[in-house]
Every structure is written in C-alpha cells, then in structure tokens.
Amino acid sequence: MKIKIAGHLTLSAVSFLLKALQRGLRLPQILICVGCATSSALAGTNEPRLNLYNWSDYIAKDTIAGFEKQTGIKARYDVYDSADTLQAKLLTGRSGYDVVTPTSNYAGRLRAADIFEPLDHAKLPNLKNLDPQLMKIVAGADPGNRYFVPWAYGTTGLGYNLTKVRQVLGEEVPLDSWDILFKPEYVSKLKSCGVSMLDAPDQLFAAVLHYLGKAPDSTNPEDYRAALKVLKQIRPYITQFNSAGYINDLVGGDICFAFGWSGDVVIAGRRAREAKKEYQIQYFIPRSGAPIWFDVMAIPKDAPHKEAALQWINYIETPQVHAAITNQVYYPSANLAAKQYLDPLVANDPAIYPRPEMIKKLFLLKPLPPETARLMTRLWTEFKTGF
C-alpha cells in the first residue's frame, strides 16, 4: 500500500513515524500524532518575518532589536561586501530578501531591469523627514523617487595619514585636490609610506573624467581611454587595491594615502584616536567636486514579505533610529529630522555631512550603458595589471 502525505515532514517527525511503526502503533494513530507535530512546526514558521540584505558594518547595535520590539516582526539580517554579489542574487531571482540596499548606480541599473517593486508612499509617512535637495540627487537614479529610499550616502575622496603626508609633501601643498592622486609628482612621493586604491572602477573612472573636465558619466570611449592614460602614469606608485582592509591599514600606519570612502576614513580616524596613535587621519573632499553615492533601500518584486518591508523602511526613517545608525557608522542619512539627535561631533564634521556649497559640486554615480560598462571593465583590468 502506498500512502501520500501532503506537505513536508521534519526529520524529527520521520524519526517518530519509524519508531511508532516499530512499536506496533496503527497508521491512523500515527498520522494523527504526526499531523499534530507538523502543524505545530508550521505554526512556528508562520510568525511575521522580514529578510534583510545590507552592506557589512552598516547598522547600529540596537536597530534590529528596536524594530522587532516595535512591530513584533522577526528580522533576519544578512550582509555582503560587494555590489556585484547583490546584483547577481537579484538578477538570478527568488533571492528571498524583502529589503536590499544597492548603491545608486547599481540600483538604477536594476530598476531599469524591472527588479524592484514601486513603493507605496501612503504606507511610508516618515518619508516627510527626507531632505528635498538630496532626494533630487537620488532622482538621478530613480526618476520620481518611486522605488528607492536612502539608507545612507557618502562621497569618494582622499584619506590621509595627515602626519606622515605632511612630512613627505610639506605644509603648503593643498590636500583637498585631485592633483595629489592624479599627478605623479605628488603621488610618487607617497609610495614610500603606502598608497591604497579602492577596487572600484566606477568610482575611479568618474573621478578621473571629472578631473579631466569631462562628464563623469560619459559614454564616449575616447574619454575613457584618456582617463586610462592618466591612470597608467600613477600605476607604479599604487601599493594596493583594497575596498575594505584599508581602514585598518590606515589605523596601523601601513598606508598614508587612500582613494577611499568618506565614512571609512572617518572610522579609521576614530580608531586611531582610540588607540592613541601619534598620527592624525583625516578625510578630504576635493574642492572641485567628487562622486556622491547613495545606498538605497528597495523591495524586490519577488519579496515574500512586502508589508513587513514597508514597515522596516518607515521604521528606519524614524529620526531617532536613523540618527543612531549615523552615530555608529559615520555615514550620513538623508533624514533632515534626524540631525537633532546626532552627536554634535558627527553632525558638524564636513567629512561626514558636506556643507551645502560642497554638495552643489558633487556628482551622482549613474548607471552606464552595457557597452560603456564593459569598456570600463576592460580598461580597469589593463590599469590594475599594468599592461
């Protein structure tokens, strides 16, 4: 006789079934017991849930606990350290995540691929707290602000071990200039104390194109070849390509100069002070302008818990909640109302919160056409390998 039981039995239920048969219990009795056990197990999985996917080291210690307490929704929080990792999961489909946090240029590309669900703004009353000026910038990747809500933003610029660099370059050289990175006469002198480059072609090519007076989001192949010429001139002086460990390298004194992300360099400075290092680490936004990027919350179309996702996004935009995140990770939010809850040292640091006059000079990283992205990848490989 063949018996079909709907659903899936847990390993413990199967074990129970076999033992019961061995002990002589009749099948109807067994099925009643198994049914009770299975129903009980499934009931445990029906509690409200939320699956989150975010960059590593990017949240306050009490953010998730506060959300769970307020909503009764159990949150699973997974992390990644590469935009390509997130993109691959989303393009494959059925990632299982309810809220993801792509960077604006990747987010714009995924939006065009119809990956995300439009947001129901009626269920997000805390969007009223967002800075209209910054949301206009975000609209460059999300016209109409229909799909994305900023988690945090930052700039890409120049990080220094100020003490060592001043010893090498002198006191008069302005450090808020791309010249330090792109002119061999300067960067060559810093090789002796260590020069680190983000392993991020979109960030670097945008900066070089801007430096050359070209559009940072150019689609002209000749512009990228001109940028490569600049980069090849400085390649001999770059001692590492690193998008994560350079924080500790700055703290440890293994490098003195980094093309890096604002919050990372600020974190390095804090850790150096806590460790009572004899040197000062400081971040500079080049005065001519620099890349600005937003990591944004978005809901995949196949998200299993969309209502819980909306609750999470609205919770994050609670001023006190977002302020606690910024105080922890040193990346600012677009939440204007959160500023009153910030540590004054954080709120008044122009490396974290650029001044309004500087924001006007920043340029958003936007999604590039596939053919431009492929060219940039080839040129990046040529640059890194030195061939």
Side-chain angles (χ1 to χ4, degrees):
M1 179 175 65
K2 293 182 179 180
I3 300 171
K4 182 178 181 180
I5 300 176
H8 300 279
L9 297 181
T10 63
L11 188 60
S12 59
V14 173
S15 177
F16 169 77
L17 177 59
L18 293 174
K19 288 181 181 178
L21 287 169
Q22 291 170 355
R23 292 175 182 177
L25 285 179
R26 294 183 177 182
L27 188 59
Q29 295 171 305
I30 295 172
L31 292 179
I32 289 172
C33 294
V34 171
C36 292
T38 305
S39 297
S40 175
L42 289 175
T45 64
N46 284 337
E47 65 179 340
R49 288 190 176 274
L50 178 69
N51 300 318
L52 305 165
Y53 203 31
N54 200 353
W55 292 90
S56 58
D57 300 318
Y58 214 25
I59 196 168
K61 295 177 181 178
D62 60 352
T63 307
I64 294 173
F67 173 76
E68 292 178 336
K69 181 178 180 180
Q70 179 174 305
T71 64
I73 298 171
K74 186 70 175 176
R76 189 188 84 192
Y77 188 83
D78 294 339
V79 300
Y80 55 90
D81 59 6
S82 164
D84 290 327
T85 300
L86 170 61
Q87 180 172 264
K89 282 184 179 289
L90 293 176
L91 290 176
T92 301
R94 298 191 176 277
S95 68
Y97 292 108
D98 301 301
V99 181
V100 295
T101 320
T103 304
S104 46
N105 55 331
Y106 277 81
R109 191 180 309 147
L110 292 166
R111 179 188 187 275
D114 201 30
I115 295 294
F116 299 123
E117 182 84 6
L119 299 174
D120 185 349
H121 284 208
K123 296 180 179 179
L124 299 170
N126 282 337
L127 295 188
K128 66 185 179 185
N129 297 321
L130 296 177
D131 185 333
Q133 183 181 2
L134 291 176
M135 293 307 292
K136 286 180 181 178
I137 300 176
V138 176
D142 178 23
N145 297 127
R146 296 182 58 228
Y147 292 85
F148 307 147
V149 174
W151 173 273
Y153 70 93
T155 59
T156 309
L158 308 176
Y160 297 93
N161 179 322
L162 208 56
T163 308
K164 289 187 177 181
V165 169
R166 285 300 186 198
Q167 289 173 353
V168 174
L169 297 182
E171 296 291 334
E172 302 303 320
V173 175
L175 300 183
D176 59 345
S177 171
W178 287 116
D179 284 346
I180 306 299
L181 178 61
F182 296 135
K183 282 192 173 182
E185 64 197 76
Y186 294 117
V187 71
S188 63
K189 296 177 181 177
L190 298 177
K191 181 181 180 180
S192 60
C193 56
V195 175
S196 182
M197 177 73 70
L198 287 175
D199 195 358
D202 56 338
Q203 306 274 341
L204 185 60
F205 272 102
V208 183
L209 290 170
H210 164 76
Y211 179 70
L212 293 174
K214 303 180 185 297
D217 56 351
S218 172
T219 58
N220 184 344
E222 292 307 313
D223 290 345
Y224 286 86
R225 294 187 179 95
L228 181 62
K229 288 182 179 179
V230 173
L231 294 176
K232 282 189 170 183
Q233 291 177 354
I234 67 169
R235 179 62 185 91
Y237 314 115
I238 297 169
T239 55
Q240 68 174 27
F241 289 85
N242 196 314
S243 295
Y246 75 99
I247 298 175
N248 290 332
D249 293 336
L250 275 169
V251 177
D254 298 315
I255 60 173
C256 65
F257 181 45
F259 173 70
W261 290 309
S262 52
D264 287 358
V265 179
V266 174
I267 288 172
R270 181 197 67 184
R271 292 179 182 173
R273 290 192 298 274
E274 291 173 349
K276 295 181 170 40
K277 297 291 186 180
E278 296 180 350
Y279 41 78
Q280 180 184 357
I281 295 170
Q282 191 169 336
Y283 177 78
F284 287 79
I285 303 175
R287 60 183 179 274
S288 65
I292 184 173
W293 43 264
F294 290 80
D295 290 329
V296 296
M297 293 177 281
I299 302 175
K301 275 196 168 182
D302 59 1
H305 311 105
K306 291 177 182 174
E307 289 302 314
L310 289 167
Q311 290 187 61
W312 170 260
I313 293 172
N314 196 60
Y315 168 77
I316 292 299
E317 293 307 333
T318 305
Q320 296 90 331
V321 172
H322 226 150
I325 295 171
T326 299
N327 283 333
Q328 179 89 31
V329 304
Y330 297 112
Y331 281 103
S333 77
N335 192 314
L336 271 178
K339 283 196 171 183
Q340 62 183 306
Y341 302 104
L342 291 174
D343 181 328
L345 292 176
V346 172
N348 297 319
D349 188 341
I352 301 174
Y353 279 95
R355 301 290 185 249
E357 59 273 17
M358 176 53 72
I359 288 179
K360 294 177 182 178
K361 298 180 182 180
L362 302 176
F363 46 89
L364 182 71
L365 295 179
K366 298 178 181 180
L368 296 170
E371 60 273 14
T372 304
R374 287 193 294 269
L375 171 64
M376 184 170 63
T377 299
R378 289 198 302 272
L379 297 181
W380 179 255
T381 300
E382 186 176 340
F383 164 55
K384 283 185 69 176
T385 58
F387 297 112

